[in-house]
Amino acid sequence: MRPTPTELITQVRRVLRDVIEPELSSGYARARLAEVRAVLAQVDWDNAGLHLMTHTTALRDALGDLRAWAHADEQRRAHFGQIDLPEPDAADFAGWNHWHSHYTGVVTALIDPLEDWLRAHPDDADGAALRHKLLTLSAC
């Protein structure tokens, strides 16, 4: 595909710099424009969808590990209850973004019960490792 997403964004940044910026008289407007250009430069636009799909899959896998750990023990199963993890059915960026948001919400719902469990069971290394993994993945 030509131009690539990165090539398109590069051209947009160039227009912002060469055409729009010289026309701005406000220092505030120039500063905001510089921020926009910087944000546009920070994303790997050619691989953004692939990164989102990979990250969402890793998040769901980590949640699957938590579910397997929770359901492997009767006491944990009672503490955590049912953990519903539907398979993503995404075909585009918007779909993967939806599932990423969904799984991040599942992490948010599970983190307090996980913290409660770990306070009551401070020697549970598997639970602590799962907490670390989930927090690391959901922070991205």
Side-chain angles (χ1 to χ4, degrees):
M1 176 176 120
R2 285 288 198 219
T4 66
T6 296
E7 290 168 342
L8 286 170
I9 295 300
T10 299
Q11 291 303 317
V12 168
R13 291 181 64 238
R14 188 170 293 133
V15 168
L16 291 172
R17 182 193 66 213
D18 297 343
V19 178
I20 305 299
E21 187 174 356
E23 298 297 322
L24 297 176
S25 58
S26 161
Y28 178 78
R30 284 179 181 255
R32 296 296 75 78
L33 180 61
E35 289 174 9
V36 168
R37 288 183 57 232
V39 167
L40 290 173
Q42 291 175 5
V43 175
D44 177 5
W45 295 100
D46 291 338
N47 293 308
L50 179 59
H51 174 73
L52 179 61
M53 181 182 72
T54 302
H55 187 264
T56 302
T57 301
L59 187 56
R60 189 199 183 284
D61 290 348
L63 284 164
D65 292 345
L66 175 74
R67 179 175 61 187
W69 167 81
H71 290 180
D73 175 85
E74 190 63 40
Q75 191 179 10
R76 287 193 303 252
R77 187 178 311 128
H79 180 79
F80 287 94
Q82 181 64 29
I83 301 172
D84 188 31
L85 292 177
E87 287 290 331
D89 58 355
D92 58 13
F93 189 91
W96 282 105
N97 201 39
H98 163 78
W99 284 106
H100 185 270
S101 178
H102 175 80
Y103 295 140
T104 301
V106 173
V107 170
T108 300
L110 289 172
I111 208 66
D112 281 343
L114 182 54
E115 292 293 340
D116 292 343
W117 176 267
L118 292 173
R119 271 191 294 280
H121 304 86
D123 296 332
D124 191 330
D126 292 335
L130 287 166
R131 174 186 57 194
H132 176 73
K133 188 178 203 178
L134 288 172
L135 291 175
T136 300
L137 285 169
S138 62
C140 297

